[in-house]
Amino acid sequence: MSRRADRPITVTRTVHRRRRRVKAVAAITVVAAAVGATGYGAWQLIEENEYLLDERCSVTVGEVEHRLTPAQTYAAAHLAAAAAERELPVQAATDAIAISLQETNLDDRADPVEEETEEVDAEEAEAADSEEEQTAPAPVLFADGGPQWDAVKATSSTPTTAEDFYSRLIQSREDGGEDAWSPELGLEEAAETLGRPQNPTFYPQHEELARAFARPLAGLQPMVMTCQLSQLEVPGPDSEGLGDELQSTLSGMLGAEATEVEGSGDSAVVRVSVSDVAEEAGATEAEEDQATQDEATERSEPEWLVAQWAVAAAEIYGVQSVHAGAYEWHRDSGRWERVETVSEDAVVIGFSRR
């Protein structure tokens, strides 16, 4: 055997570095694969369980996205529908939503209906069944108090429900004069005219957000409002409750038999006919003095007023889909999508997940 073969193998510094690099690269590869797998698994878990879903309704105006929570959107829809029912300009709904945002953050402050806990005998139960069902209290979306916003104690009260708010607004218009409410008033002036309890300068900060939602909820801008809602804790389908509220909210606009409930449970469908709605109905009448100047008048579309109201009420009544015209909103996607089946002269509200 040659002397070269007997020579011991010496690991040089260069070889040692190379081996360390190979081991380091291998370790990094293993760690990266593990992290990637863990991250993908976590993302799948999050996606399937919607842990990161930010429930919201949004309206984009230009490059600005305006957001409200589902509960706030439902309250805003209530105010917009109340304005439409009274054939008020859309600015009335804008003012109402903005004022409510300042005073209650569009949060219903009404006391919940207390359930009876005392036992009743058979006769009392039968008598109670024969009476008409008690309706839930009207949503309290405005703060109580007097217009002396800088006083320690208010000396008079202000409207707290939509009905009272619009009654005072209408009365102000009918009275006329310099202090009368009109769509041309800025929000600060409107708050002063309506005797709101807080500093009038606080209200204008909410006008842009209020206007963004008031217009689609009044039926002026179809499909611009989207609502991303979770499927994790969907309330049980309440087609009867939705139909009753919609019919009572827009009874003057829709007519007595416009709302029809078909089926029950998940298979229920609420069909709202808008074919008999008068053309002049809606929340967008222009002021008479502007009409005489031959200016263009915005008109709401009752079909989309009902459709957007139904989307806003989806979180309350377990709605899964709303079909209006050639478009449909689904709870899964949260967006309006074009469909092949066209619903003519009716809004169809479904409770079954596709």
Side-chain angles (χ1 to χ4, degrees), residues 1 19 85 142 178 208 213 237 278 302:
M1 185 177 293
R19 289 179 178 176
E85 178 72 359
F142 304 95
E178 296 181 356
E208 188 176 353
F213 277 86

Side-chain angles (χ1 to χ4, degrees), residues 9-349:
I9 299 175
T10 303
V11 178
T12 65
R13 184 175 299 177
T14 302
V15 173
H16 184 65
R17 286 201 196 103
R18 187 178 297 116
R19 289 179 178 176
R20 288 177 61 186
R21 289 193 189 117
V22 172
K23 291 180 180 179
V25 170
I28 292 173
T29 302
V30 172
V31 172
V35 172
T38 303
Y40 178 77
W43 175 253
Q44 287 292 100
L45 184 65
I46 290 170
E47 186 177 34
E48 292 175 1
N49 293 280
E50 300 177 335
Y51 288 137
L52 293 184
L53 177 63
D54 179 18
E55 288 192 298
R56 68 189 185 276
C57 294
S58 60
V59 176
T60 300
V61 180
E63 298 181 354
V64 180
E65 183 186 49
H66 301 276
R67 294 185 179 185
L68 290 176
T69 67
Q72 288 177 315
T73 306
Y74 177 61
H78 175 78
L79 294 174
E85 178 72 359
R86 291 160 177 77
E87 300 185 16
L88 290 168
V90 70
Q91 186 61 41
T94 299
D95 288 355
I97 294 172
I99 289 172
S100 179
L101 277 167
Q102 172 59 36
E103 296 180 359
T104 66
N105 199 30
L106 281 172
D107 179 32
D108 183 7
R109 304 292 175 84
D111 294 331
V113 178
E114 297 182 0
E115 298 183 358
E116 296 184 359
T117 57
E118 298 181 358
E119 297 183 357
V120 294
D121 57 26
E123 293 182 359
E124 291 178 346
E126 185 177 353
D129 292 337
S130 63
E131 295 178 357
E132 295 184 359
E133 295 183 0
Q134 294 183 353
T135 58
V140 175
L141 298 173
F142 304 95
D144 193 12
Q148 294 80 12
W149 52 265
D150 57 349
V152 176
K153 293 184 179 180
T155 57
S156 61
S157 61
T158 54
T160 59
T161 66
E163 181 178 358
D164 293 338
F165 179 89
Y166 287 124
S167 293
R168 177 168 292 189
L169 185 148
I170 292 171
Q171 186 62 51
S172 174
R173 294 181 74 192
E174 292 177 349
D175 292 342
E178 296 181 356
D179 296 331
W181 181 91
S182 72
E184 290 74 35
L185 287 180
L187 198 51
E188 181 176 343
E189 292 78 12
E192 288 185 299
T193 296
L194 298 175
R196 299 315 307 168
Q198 298 188 17
N199 188 324
T201 62
F202 293 165
Y203 296 96
Q205 64 181 316
H206 305 287
E207 186 168 15
E208 188 176 353
L209 173 60
R211 181 178 293 108
F213 277 86
R215 294 180 64 79
L217 289 173
L220 289 175
Q221 294 176 308
M223 300 173 293
V224 302
M225 188 185 79
T226 61
C227 285
Q228 303 288 337
L229 305 177
S230 174
Q231 289 282 13
L232 287 178
E233 298 181 356
V234 182
D238 186 3
S239 56
E240 294 289 345
L242 182 144
D244 290 343
E245 182 179 350
L246 182 58
Q247 187 64 53
S248 62
T249 299
L250 296 173
S251 59
M253 175 183 291
L254 297 177
E257 300 179 355
T259 303
E260 180 180 2
V261 179
E262 304 172 358
S264 61
D266 292 346
S267 62
V269 170
V270 177
R271 191 178 304 274
V272 185
S273 174
V274 294
S275 59
D276 297 331
V277 178
E279 293 183 359
E280 64 271 13
T284 56
E285 278 192 355
E287 289 292 292
E288 293 182 1
D289 56 345
Q290 290 192 347
T292 56
Q293 298 174 15
D294 198 27
E295 293 186 0
T297 304
E298 290 183 300
R299 297 281 181 190
S300 69
E301 298 181 39
E303 178 182 36
W304 283 100
L305 189 157
V306 172
Q308 299 284 30
W309 183 94
V311 172
E315 188 68 358
I316 304 298
Y317 294 104
V319 173
Q320 289 286 349
S321 64
V322 180
H323 190 174
Y327 295 89
E328 196 165 39
W329 174 88
H330 280 278
R331 192 185 189 101
D332 282 322
S333 67
R335 302 185 303 273
W336 287 98
E337 300 171 352
R338 191 174 183 86
V339 292
E340 295 181 358
T341 305
V342 178
S343 175
E344 297 181 355
D345 300 328
V347 176
V348 181
I349 305 165

